[in-house]
């Protein structure tokens, strides 16, 4: 038995300190609900939980982004739904105007409504927005430019990579009767045109044709024309030559997996820039003879009748001068058009918590120009017939655009559901790492309380032992 060092009290105090410390930590876990409150509680667990918290918070914000993206698609589709209704109405009006029972005044009245509908389509394209951001005016589409005056690019599909693409319009082409056989892809040199790498090779079509009727003969004899792009049809005792007169044609290149691009030709601009390499011919029929005005490479005009004889009739010359060119034969070098697709302009939606978890959204410009109906005319029976074809094409394009929006929305809704599920599962995982098991911890807490009380009692008893030794010395 010793007085200087009360080992019993020292040992009791040590165990009491341990029990008190553990009880303090257990109490903190019960109060906070977390089993990791400090780095020393579980260093690895703390690092894992911090990464999980970051992912969960980021994913919650990403789900908001996804919801906003869905809202954009819904607003755009709602606007296009009304555009679809207006185009369908324009189709009804065109069919009505094409009927031979209408007078010129009737068709003009129909044209007035058609014009108003066209104006409204353009207004919707310029004013539809989300959070002050225009969504149908082309701002959310890819940027495309060409190096040739009079030819522009528009409606580039999602399957087109950024880079340069070239098409060639062959010399000898009649720009008024442009045919896909006159247009080719430049696909022999990858340094100048990415068509070299596109497989299978895209297909070229020429759209935007405008049927032009010209009275050719008052007999019912079969007519022949060396230009195979023209056909003849008889109406009663009169015969008309039906030409594929192009009204600012569109060269459309389509391939697989969403690859599509459109080159729009501005004939007036092409005529202006290439007048020294174009032979223009204008035709006028006065009921007896067909007269022709010819301008070769910007030179002096010559006026001839059907037999090739020169004419001097001022009235006929004036009518020829006021007419549209019946043909415009391009005689210069091949026109090579380089269309550059820039990787810019579209909207990128951040749909995940990490870099690269995003989605590019392309919403093309929806206007009468991009739909090919900016000059829709139903004031004559023939123009109304052509308007029916144009409106049908425009409706197909709008339907295609709406399908794209629908695909975007379906993908975004799937992404939203997946994100919500991921947040739920990741939160559950974080709970396993961080949250206190209250039942288990309460059992531990109760045990530690008993140990602390026992330690306190033992320490008090140990502190009484020196007094026992002192009583022995006194006796």
């Amino acid at each position: 038995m010793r007085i200087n060092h009360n080992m019993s009290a020292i040992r009791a105090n040590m165990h009491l300190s341990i029990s008190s410390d553990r009880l303090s930590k257990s109490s903190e876990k019960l109060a906070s609900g977390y089993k990791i409150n400090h780095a020393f509680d579980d260093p690895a667990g703390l690092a894992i939980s911090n990464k999980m918290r970051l992912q969960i918070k980021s994913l919650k914000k990403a789900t908001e982004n996804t919801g906003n993206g869905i809202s954009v698609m819904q607003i755009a589709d709602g606007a296009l739904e009304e555009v679809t209704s207006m185009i369908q109405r324009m189709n009804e009006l065109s069919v009505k105007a094409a009927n031979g029972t209408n007078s010129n005044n009737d068709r003009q009245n129909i044209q007035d409504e058609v014009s108003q509908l066209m104006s409204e389509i353009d207004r919707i394209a310029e004013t539809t927005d989300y959070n002050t951001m225009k969504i149908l005016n082309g701002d959310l589409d890819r940027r495309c430019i060409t190096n040739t005056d009079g030819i522009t690019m528009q409606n580039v599909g999602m399957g087109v990579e950024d880079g340069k693409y070239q098409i060639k319009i062959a010399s000898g082409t009649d720009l008024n009767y442009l045919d896909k056989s006159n247009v080719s892809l430049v696909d022999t040199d990858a340094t100048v045109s990415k068509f070299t790498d596109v497989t299978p090779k895209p297909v070229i079509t020429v759209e935007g044709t405008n049927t032009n009727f010209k009275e050719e003969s008052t007999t019912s004899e079969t007519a022949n024309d060396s230009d195979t792009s023209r056909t003849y049809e008889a109406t009663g005792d009169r015969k008309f030559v039906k030409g594929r007169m192009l009204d600012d044609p569109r060269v459309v290149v389509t391939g697989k997996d969403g690859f599509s691009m459109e080159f729009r030709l501005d004939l007036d601009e092409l005529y202006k820039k290439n007048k020294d390499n174009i032979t223009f011919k204008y035709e006028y029929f006065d009921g007896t003879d067909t007269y022709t005005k010819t301008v070769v490479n910007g030179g002096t005009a010559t006026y001839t009748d059907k037999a090739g004889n020169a004419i001097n009739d001022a009235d006929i010359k004036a009518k020829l001068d006021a007419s549209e060119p019946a043909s415009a034969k391009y005689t210069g070098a091949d026109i090579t058009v380089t269309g550059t697709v820039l990787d810019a302009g579209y909207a990128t939606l951040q749909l995940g918590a990490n870099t690269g978890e995003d989605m590019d959204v392309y919403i093309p410009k929806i206007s009468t120009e991009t739909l090919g109906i900016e000059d829709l005319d139903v004031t004559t029976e023939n123009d109304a017939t052509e308007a029916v074809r144009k409106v049908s094409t425009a409706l197909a394009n709008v339907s295609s655009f709406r399908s794209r929006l629908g695909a975007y929305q379906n993908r975004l809704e799937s992404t939203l559901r997946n994100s919500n599920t991921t947040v739920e599962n990741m939160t559950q995982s974080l709970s396993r790492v961080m949250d206190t098991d209250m039942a288990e911890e309460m059992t531990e807490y109760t045990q530690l309380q008993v140990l602390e009380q026992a330690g306190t009692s033992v320490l008090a008893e140990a502190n009484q032992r020196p007094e026992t030794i002192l009583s022995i010395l006194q006796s």
Side-chain angles (χ1 to χ4, degrees):
M1 301 179 68
R2 297 173 177 82
I3 296 177
N4 288 339
H5 296 88
N6 188 348
M7 296 307 298
S8 298
I10 291 172
R11 291 191 181 95
N13 183 64
M14 179 188 69
H15 286 291
L16 178 59
S17 296
I18 293 173
S19 297
S20 297
D21 184 54
R22 290 177 61 191
L23 182 62
S24 176
K25 290 180 179 179
S26 180
S27 176
E28 184 179 20
K29 291 176 182 179
L30 289 171
S32 66
Y34 294 118
K35 61 183 177 183
I36 302 177
N37 293 285
H38 307 282
F40 57 75
D41 289 333
D42 185 351
L46 181 66
I48 293 171
S49 66
N50 284 336
K51 287 188 289 185
M52 285 186 174
R53 283 196 178 102
L54 176 65
Q55 290 288 304
I56 291 170
K57 290 182 178 180
S58 298
L59 273 174
K60 287 181 178 179
K61 185 56 66 176
T63 58
E64 293 182 17
N65 294 346
T66 306
N68 292 336
I70 292 174
S71 297
V72 171
M73 300 305 117
Q74 290 173 333
I75 291 173
D77 186 56
L80 290 184
E81 182 177 6
E82 187 57 34
V83 170
T84 300
S85 298
M86 287 188 286
I87 291 177
Q88 290 172 338
R89 175 58 179 167
M90 292 164 71
N91 186 68
E92 294 176 15
L93 294 171
S94 299
V95 171
K96 181 177 181 180
N99 192 15
T101 61
N102 292 296
S103 66
N104 290 336
N105 287 336
D106 293 334
R107 290 194 177 93
Q108 185 57 55
N109 292 334
I110 295 173
Q111 179 65 44
D112 291 341
E113 183 176 352
V114 170
S115 297
Q116 290 298 317
L117 291 172
M118 289 192 294
S119 297
E120 182 59 18
I121 290 175
D122 287 334
R123 189 196 68 80
I124 289 176
E126 291 299 326
T127 60
T128 302
D129 62 9
Y130 174 83
N131 192 29
T132 71
M133 179 179 64
K134 307 299 182 185
I135 58 179
L136 290 180
N137 68 344
D139 286 351
L140 297 185
D141 203 5
R142 305 180 79 172
R143 299 291 179 261
C144 311
I145 57 175
T146 63
N147 66 335
T148 305
D149 292 330
I151 302 180
T152 58
M153 286 187 71
Q154 41 189 324
N155 297 340
V156 174
M158 294 180 292
V160 178
E161 296 181 1
D162 60 295
K164 294 181 179 180
Y165 298 83
Q166 286 187 344
I167 62 170
K168 184 180 293 185
I169 300 175
S171 177
T173 297
D174 188 343
L175 297 177
N176 276 10
Y177 295 90
L178 189 65
D179 187 84
K180 65 180 182 180
S181 61
N182 308 126
V183 186
S184 61
L185 302 176
V186 177
D187 57 5
T188 57
D189 187 350
T191 61
V192 298
S193 177
K194 292 197 69 172
F195 280 126
T196 303
D197 300 325
V198 179
T199 55
K201 287 296 179 285
V203 176
I204 294 177
T205 56
V206 178
E207 300 180 357
T209 57
N210 199 13
T211 306
N212 178 45
F213 291 91
K214 175 172 66 68
E215 188 171 346
E216 179 71 17
S217 173
T218 57
T219 69
S220 58
E221 297 176 1
T222 302
N224 295 311
D225 194 320
S226 59
D227 189 341
T228 57
S229 68
R230 301 180 184 182
T231 57
Y232 294 89
E233 62 181 38
T235 304
D237 292 331
R238 295 187 303 167
K239 187 169 287 294
F240 293 81
V241 58
K242 180 184 179 184
R244 294 198 311 123
M245 186 72 151
L246 296 187
D247 182 17
D248 288 349
R250 300 190 300 276
V251 177
V252 182
V253 184
T254 54
K256 290 184 63 178
D257 302 325
F259 187 99
S260 65
M261 59 176 61
E262 179 182 309
F263 296 84
R264 184 74 175 266
L265 279 64
D266 184 339
L267 291 181
D268 289 338
E269 190 67 23
L270 285 175
Y271 294 160
K272 184 189 304 180
K273 296 294 182 182
N274 298 281
K275 65 180 181 180
D276 292 339
N277 293 302
I278 297 179
T279 299
F280 288 99
K281 286 190 177 181
Y282 307 79
E283 294 181 349
Y284 167 66
F285 180 69
D286 66 353
T288 304
D289 198 355
T290 299
Y291 303 94
T292 303
K293 169 188 172 182
T294 305
V295 180
V296 180
N297 300 339
T300 303
T302 60
Y303 302 85
T304 59
D305 60 18
K306 193 171 186 178
N309 300 314
I311 58 172
N312 297 305
D313 188 300
D315 182 57
I316 292 178
K317 284 186 175 181
K319 285 184 168 58
L320 284 169
D321 291 340
S323 63
E324 295 291 329
S327 67
K329 193 72 170 285
Y330 174 70
T331 58
D334 294 344
I335 300 176
T336 301
V337 184
T338 301
T340 303
V341 179
L342 303 176
D343 194 14
Y346 54 86
T348 300
L349 303 180
Q350 181 65 36
L351 305 182
N354 305 308
T355 302
E357 296 179 355
D358 51 30
M359 169 183 168
D360 296 333
V361 173
Y362 305 86
I363 303 180
K365 182 178 181 179
I366 306 299
S367 67
T368 55
E369 179 187 5
T370 59
L371 295 175
I373 55 174
E374 74 273 19
D375 56 355
L376 204 65
D377 187 0
V378 296
T379 54
T380 68
E381 184 176 339
N382 294 328
D383 287 337
T385 300
E386 175 61 14
V388 174
R389 186 200 61 78
K390 285 186 174 183
V391 170
S392 297
T393 301
L395 183 60
N397 288 335
V398 173
S399 297
S400 176
F401 297 150
R402 292 187 67 185
S403 295
R404 181 189 300 183
L405 293 176
Y408 282 148
Q409 184 169 339
N410 286 339
R411 176 180 173 181
L412 289 173
E413 288 178 349
S414 296
T415 301
L416 184 61
R417 289 192 293 270
N418 179 66
S419 295
N420 287 333
T421 301
T422 302
V423 168
E424 178 184 347
N425 292 333
M426 194 167 288
T427 302
Q428 186 174 7
S429 299
L430 177 63
S431 175
R432 292 191 184 101
V433 175
M434 287 293 296
D435 290 354
T436 299
D437 185 331
M438 301 301 285
E440 180 182 350
E441 194 61 42
M442 195 63 202
T443 301
E444 176 79 5
Y445 179 79
T446 302
Q447 179 185 1
L448 292 171
Q449 272 189 322
V450 172
L451 287 174
E452 184 181 44
Q453 292 172 4
T456 302
S457 177
V458 169
L459 178 60
E461 183 65 28
N463 286 331
Q464 294 296 320
R465 297 191 69 182
E467 295 182 7
T468 303
I469 296 173
L470 182 59
S471 65
I472 293 174
L473 293 174
Q474 289 175 346
S475 62

PDB file of all heavy atoms in Angstrom, residues 292-317:
ATOM      1  N   THR A 292     -38.318  36.990-129.334  1.00  0.00           N
ATOM      2  CA  THR A 292     -37.243  36.695-128.369  1.00  0.00           C
ATOM      3  C   THR A 292     -36.278  37.864-128.279  1.00  0.00           C
ATOM      4  O   THR A 292     -35.879  38.444-129.299  1.00  0.00           O
ATOM      5  CB  THR A 292     -36.461  35.436-128.789  1.00  0.00           C
ATOM      6  OG1 THR A 292     -37.370  34.341-128.917  1.00  0.00           O
ATOM      7  CG2 THR A 292     -35.387  35.093-127.770  1.00  0.00           C
ATOM      8  N   LYS A 293     -35.905  38.177-127.031  1.00  0.00           N
ATOM      9  CA  LYS A 293     -34.844  39.152-126.774  1.00  0.00           C
ATOM     10  C   LYS A 293     -33.650  38.382-126.227  1.00  0.00           C
ATOM     11  O   LYS A 293     -33.786  37.584-125.296  1.00  0.00           O
ATOM     12  CB  LYS A 293     -35.315  40.188-125.758  1.00  0.00           C
ATOM     13  CG  LYS A 293     -34.214  41.091-125.211  1.00  0.00           C
ATOM     14  CD  LYS A 293     -34.753  41.953-124.076  1.00  0.00           C
ATOM     15  CE  LYS A 293     -33.643  42.731-123.385  1.00  0.00           C
ATOM     16  NZ  LYS A 293     -34.157  43.527-122.242  1.00  0.00           N
ATOM     17  N   THR A 294     -32.476  38.608-126.791  1.00  0.00           N
ATOM     18  CA  THR A 294     -31.272  37.883-126.377  1.00  0.00           C
ATOM     19  C   THR A 294     -30.185  38.872-125.970  1.00  0.00           C
ATOM     20  O   THR A 294     -29.908  39.829-126.700  1.00  0.00           O
ATOM     21  CB  THR A 294     -30.742  36.995-127.512  1.00  0.00           C
ATOM     22  OG1 THR A 294     -31.788  36.124-127.957  1.00  0.00           O
ATOM     23  CG2 THR A 294     -29.553  36.166-127.035  1.00  0.00           C
ATOM     24  N   VAL A 295     -29.602  38.629-124.793  1.00  0.00           N
ATOM     25  CA  VAL A 295     -28.492  39.437-124.321  1.00  0.00           C
ATOM     26  C   VAL A 295     -27.338  38.480-124.002  1.00  0.00           C
ATOM     27  O   VAL A 295     -27.449  37.653-123.101  1.00  0.00           O
ATOM     28  CB  VAL A 295     -28.861  40.254-123.073  1.00  0.00           C
ATOM     29  CG1 VAL A 295     -27.668  41.091-122.621  1.00  0.00           C
ATOM     30  CG2 VAL A 295     -30.065  41.137-123.336  1.00  0.00           C
ATOM     31  N   VAL A 296     -26.262  38.583-124.760  1.00  0.00           N
ATOM     32  CA  VAL A 296     -25.119  37.685-124.592  1.00  0.00           C
ATOM     33  C   VAL A 296     -24.036  38.374-123.767  1.00  0.00           C
ATOM     34  O   VAL A 296     -23.487  39.400-124.170  1.00  0.00           O
ATOM     35  CB  VAL A 296     -24.550  37.250-125.955  1.00  0.00           C
ATOM     36  CG1 VAL A 296     -23.358  36.312-125.759  1.00  0.00           C
ATOM     37  CG2 VAL A 296     -25.629  36.576-126.788  1.00  0.00           C
ATOM     38  N   ASN A 297     -23.741  37.802-122.594  1.00  0.00           N
ATOM     39  CA  ASN A 297     -22.634  38.263-121.747  1.00  0.00           C
ATOM     40  C   ASN A 297     -22.646  39.771-121.512  1.00  0.00           C
ATOM     41  O   ASN A 297     -21.621  40.447-121.605  1.00  0.00           O
ATOM     42  CB  ASN A 297     -21.291  37.840-122.344  1.00  0.00           C
ATOM     43  CG  ASN A 297     -21.173  36.330-122.468  1.00  0.00           C
ATOM     44  OD1 ASN A 297     -21.876  35.594-121.802  1.00  0.00           O
ATOM     45  ND2 ASN A 297     -20.292  35.884-123.340  1.00  0.00           N
ATOM     46  N   GLY A 298     -23.830  40.284-121.198  1.00  0.00           N
ATOM     47  CA  GLY A 298     -23.945  41.706-120.887  1.00  0.00           C
ATOM     48  C   GLY A 298     -23.826  42.625-122.082  1.00  0.00           C
ATOM     49  O   GLY A 298     -23.685  43.843-121.917  1.00  0.00           O
ATOM     50  N   GLY A 299     -23.893  42.088-123.298  1.00  0.00           N
ATOM     51  CA  GLY A 299     -23.764  42.915-124.501  1.00  0.00           C
ATOM     52  C   GLY A 299     -25.074  43.582-124.896  1.00  0.00           C
ATOM     53  O   GLY A 299     -26.018  43.685-124.116  1.00  0.00           O
ATOM     54  N   THR A 300     -25.130  44.028-126.133  1.00  0.00           N
ATOM     55  CA  THR A 300     -26.314  44.712-126.652  1.00  0.00           C
ATOM     56  C   THR A 300     -27.410  43.707-126.960  1.00  0.00           C
ATOM     57  O   THR A 300     -27.155  42.648-127.552  1.00  0.00           O
ATOM     58  CB  THR A 300     -25.957  45.490-127.926  1.00  0.00           C
ATOM     59  OG1 THR A 300     -24.903  46.413-127.623  1.00  0.00           O
ATOM     60  CG2 THR A 300     -27.163  46.256-128.448  1.00  0.00           C
ATOM     61  N   ALA A 301     -28.638  44.021-126.565  1.00  0.00           N
ATOM     62  CA  ALA A 301     -29.763  43.124-126.782  1.00  0.00           C
ATOM     63  C   ALA A 301     -30.125  43.049-128.252  1.00  0.00           C
ATOM     64  O   ALA A 301     -30.049  44.040-128.981  1.00  0.00           O
ATOM     65  CB  ALA A 301     -30.962  43.582-125.959  1.00  0.00           C
ATOM     66  N   THR A 302     -30.512  41.864-128.704  1.00  0.00           N
ATOM     67  CA  THR A 302     -31.035  41.675-130.063  1.00  0.00           C
ATOM     68  C   THR A 302     -32.459  41.153-129.951  1.00  0.00           C
ATOM     69  O   THR A 302     -32.777  40.374-129.049  1.00  0.00           O
ATOM     70  CB  THR A 302     -30.172  40.678-130.856  1.00  0.00           C
ATOM     71  OG1 THR A 302     -30.169  39.409-130.176  1.00  0.00           O
ATOM     72  CG2 THR A 302     -28.740  41.187-130.996  1.00  0.00           C
ATOM     73  N   TYR A 303     -33.321  41.593-130.886  1.00  0.00           N
ATOM     74  CA  TYR A 303     -34.734  41.249-130.864  1.00  0.00           C
ATOM     75  C   TYR A 303     -35.066  40.506-132.142  1.00  0.00           C
ATOM     76  O   TYR A 303     -34.833  41.022-133.251  1.00  0.00           O
ATOM     77  CB  TYR A 303     -35.591  42.497-130.737  1.00  0.00           C
ATOM     78  CG  TYR A 303     -35.289  43.319-129.491  1.00  0.00           C
ATOM     79  CD1 TYR A 303     -34.259  44.255-129.496  1.00  0.00           C
ATOM     80  CD2 TYR A 303     -36.032  43.152-128.333  1.00  0.00           C
ATOM     81  CE1 TYR A 303     -33.965  45.000-128.361  1.00  0.00           C
ATOM     82  CE2 TYR A 303     -35.759  43.896-127.193  1.00  0.00           C
ATOM     83  CZ  TYR A 303     -34.722  44.813-127.201  1.00  0.00           C
ATOM     84  OH  TYR A 303     -34.443  45.553-126.085  1.00  0.00           O
ATOM     85  N   THR A 304     -35.608  39.307-132.043  1.00  0.00           N
ATOM     86  CA  THR A 304     -35.929  38.496-133.219  1.00  0.00           C
ATOM     87  C   THR A 304     -37.288  37.845-133.057  1.00  0.00           C
ATOM     88  O   THR A 304     -37.796  37.685-131.939  1.00  0.00           O
ATOM     89  CB  THR A 304     -34.881  37.393-133.437  1.00  0.00           C
ATOM     90  OG1 THR A 304     -34.834  36.567-132.279  1.00  0.00           O
ATOM     91  CG2 THR A 304     -33.497  37.988-133.702  1.00  0.00           C
ATOM     92  N   ASP A 305     -37.874  37.456-134.201  1.00  0.00           N
ATOM     93  CA  ASP A 305     -39.103  36.683-134.164  1.00  0.00           C
ATOM     94  C   ASP A 305     -38.762  35.204-134.162  1.00  0.00           C
ATOM     95  O   ASP A 305     -37.587  34.830-134.084  1.00  0.00           O
ATOM     96  CB  ASP A 305     -40.021  37.060-135.321  1.00  0.00           C
ATOM     97  CG  ASP A 305     -39.369  36.821-136.679  1.00  0.00           C
ATOM     98  OD1 ASP A 305     -38.370  36.068-136.732  1.00  0.00           O
ATOM     99  OD2 ASP A 305     -39.840  37.382-137.677  1.00  0.00           O
ATOM    100  N   LYS A 306     -39.805  34.364-134.274  1.00  0.00           N
ATOM    101  CA  LYS A 306     -39.572  32.921-134.176  1.00  0.00           C
ATOM    102  C   LYS A 306     -38.681  32.409-135.298  1.00  0.00           C
ATOM    103  O   LYS A 306     -37.932  31.447-135.119  1.00  0.00           O
ATOM    104  CB  LYS A 306     -40.913  32.194-134.184  1.00  0.00           C
ATOM    105  CG  LYS A 306     -40.819  30.740-133.769  1.00  0.00           C
ATOM    106  CD  LYS A 306     -42.197  30.143-133.583  1.00  0.00           C
ATOM    107  CE  LYS A 306     -42.109  28.728-133.028  1.00  0.00           C
ATOM    108  NZ  LYS A 306     -43.457  28.149-132.790  1.00  0.00           N
ATOM    109  N   ALA A 307     -38.747  33.094-136.474  1.00  0.00           N
ATOM    110  CA  ALA A 307     -37.941  32.682-137.626  1.00  0.00           C
ATOM    111  C   ALA A 307     -36.518  33.216-137.549  1.00  0.00           C
ATOM    112  O   ALA A 307     -35.688  32.917-138.400  1.00  0.00           O
ATOM    113  CB  ALA A 307     -38.596  33.162-138.910  1.00  0.00           C
ATOM    114  N   GLY A 308     -36.223  34.045-136.549  1.00  0.00           N
ATOM    115  CA  GLY A 308     -34.892  34.590-136.407  1.00  0.00           C
ATOM    116  C   GLY A 308     -34.693  35.929-137.066  1.00  0.00           C
ATOM    117  O   GLY A 308     -33.566  36.441-137.113  1.00  0.00           O
ATOM    118  N   ASN A 309     -35.779  36.521-137.555  1.00  0.00           N
ATOM    119  CA  ASN A 309     -35.682  37.821-138.208  1.00  0.00           C
ATOM    120  C   ASN A 309     -35.677  38.931-137.164  1.00  0.00           C
ATOM    121  O   ASN A 309     -36.396  38.865-136.156  1.00  0.00           O
ATOM    122  CB  ASN A 309     -36.854  38.026-139.168  1.00  0.00           C
ATOM    123  CG  ASN A 309     -36.893  36.955-140.249  1.00  0.00           C
ATOM    124  OD1 ASN A 309     -35.864  36.634-140.843  1.00  0.00           O
ATOM    125  ND2 ASN A 309     -38.079  36.393-140.484  1.00  0.00           N
ATOM    126  N   ALA A 310     -34.865  39.963-137.402  1.00  0.00           N
ATOM    127  CA  ALA A 310     -34.814  41.097-136.478  1.00  0.00           C
ATOM    128  C   ALA A 310     -36.142  41.851-136.496  1.00  0.00           C
ATOM    129  O   ALA A 310     -36.809  41.950-137.533  1.00  0.00           O
ATOM    130  CB  ALA A 310     -33.672  42.022-136.871  1.00  0.00           C
ATOM    131  N   ILE A 311     -36.550  42.367-135.348  1.00  0.00           N
ATOM    132  CA  ILE A 311     -37.789  43.142-135.249  1.00  0.00           C
ATOM    133  C   ILE A 311     -37.476  44.518-134.676  1.00  0.00           C
ATOM    134  O   ILE A 311     -36.519  44.697-133.924  1.00  0.00           O
ATOM    135  CB  ILE A 311     -38.828  42.424-134.353  1.00  0.00           C
ATOM    136  CG1 ILE A 311     -38.261  42.190-132.947  1.00  0.00           C
ATOM    137  CG2 ILE A 311     -39.270  41.109-134.965  1.00  0.00           C
ATOM    138  CD1 ILE A 311     -39.267  41.670-131.976  1.00  0.00           C
ATOM    139  N   ASN A 312     -38.319  45.478-135.054  1.00  0.00           N
ATOM    140  CA  ASN A 312     -38.140  46.856-134.606  1.00  0.00           C
ATOM    141  C   ASN A 312     -39.387  47.414-133.943  1.00  0.00           C
ATOM    142  O   ASN A 312     -39.416  48.587-133.592  1.00  0.00           O
ATOM    143  CB  ASN A 312     -37.756  47.751-135.792  1.00  0.00           C
ATOM    144  CG  ASN A 312     -36.422  47.349-136.394  1.00  0.00           C
ATOM    145  OD1 ASN A 312     -35.434  47.280-135.690  1.00  0.00           O
ATOM    146  ND2 ASN A 312     -36.411  47.057-137.696  1.00  0.00           N
ATOM    147  N   ASP A 313     -40.412  46.579-133.773  1.00  0.00           N
ATOM    148  CA  ASP A 313     -41.664  47.038-133.193  1.00  0.00           C
ATOM    149  C   ASP A 313     -41.412  47.481-131.739  1.00  0.00           C
ATOM    150  O   ASP A 313     -41.032  46.673-130.877  1.00  0.00           O
ATOM    151  CB  ASP A 313     -42.695  45.911-133.238  1.00  0.00           C
ATOM    152  CG  ASP A 313     -44.075  46.375-132.817  1.00  0.00           C
ATOM    153  OD1 ASP A 313     -44.227  46.835-131.676  1.00  0.00           O
ATOM    154  OD2 ASP A 313     -45.007  46.265-133.650  1.00  0.00           O
ATOM    155  N   ALA A 314     -41.610  48.760-131.468  1.00  0.00           N
ATOM    156  CA  ALA A 314     -41.309  49.320-130.143  1.00  0.00           C
ATOM    157  C   ALA A 314     -42.175  48.706-129.059  1.00  0.00           C
ATOM    158  O   ALA A 314     -41.726  48.503-127.923  1.00  0.00           O
ATOM    159  CB  ALA A 314     -41.493  50.837-130.175  1.00  0.00           C
ATOM    160  N   ASP A 315     -43.445  48.423-129.396  1.00  0.00           N
ATOM    161  CA  ASP A 315     -44.358  47.859-128.397  1.00  0.00           C
ATOM    162  C   ASP A 315     -43.906  46.465-127.980  1.00  0.00           C
ATOM    163  O   ASP A 315     -43.887  46.128-126.794  1.00  0.00           O
ATOM    164  CB  ASP A 315     -45.780  47.822-128.963  1.00  0.00           C
ATOM    165  CG  ASP A 315     -46.767  47.296-127.937  1.00  0.00           C
ATOM    166  OD1 ASP A 315     -46.836  47.888-126.840  1.00  0.00           O
ATOM    167  OD2 ASP A 315     -47.454  46.289-128.208  1.00  0.00           O
ATOM    168  N   ILE A 316     -43.513  45.657-128.957  1.00  0.00           N
ATOM    169  CA  ILE A 316     -43.044  44.305-128.647  1.00  0.00           C
ATOM    170  C   ILE A 316     -41.739  44.366-127.856  1.00  0.00           C
ATOM    171  O   ILE A 316     -41.536  43.621-126.884  1.00  0.00           O
ATOM    172  CB  ILE A 316     -42.865  43.502-129.944  1.00  0.00           C
ATOM    173  CG1 ILE A 316     -44.239  43.230-130.581  1.00  0.00           C
ATOM    174  CG2 ILE A 316     -42.144  42.192-129.670  1.00  0.00           C
ATOM    175  CD1 ILE A 316     -44.166  42.494-131.897  1.00  0.00           C
ATOM    176  N   LYS A 317     -40.835  45.285-128.263  1.00  0.00           N
ATOM    177  CA  LYS A 317     -39.577  45.437-127.534  1.00  0.00           C
ATOM    178  C   LYS A 317     -39.829  45.819-126.073  1.00  0.00           C
ATOM    179  O   LYS A 317     -39.175  45.308-125.160  1.00  0.00           O
ATOM    180  CB  LYS A 317     -38.709  46.500-128.201  1.00  0.00           C
ATOM    181  CG  LYS A 317     -38.030  46.044-129.479  1.00  0.00           C
ATOM    182  CD  LYS A 317     -37.083  47.128-129.985  1.00  0.00           C
ATOM    183  CE  LYS A 317     -36.302  46.655-131.191  1.00  0.00           C
ATOM    184  NZ  LYS A 317     -35.352  47.691-131.671  1.00  0.00           N
TER     185      LYS A 317
END
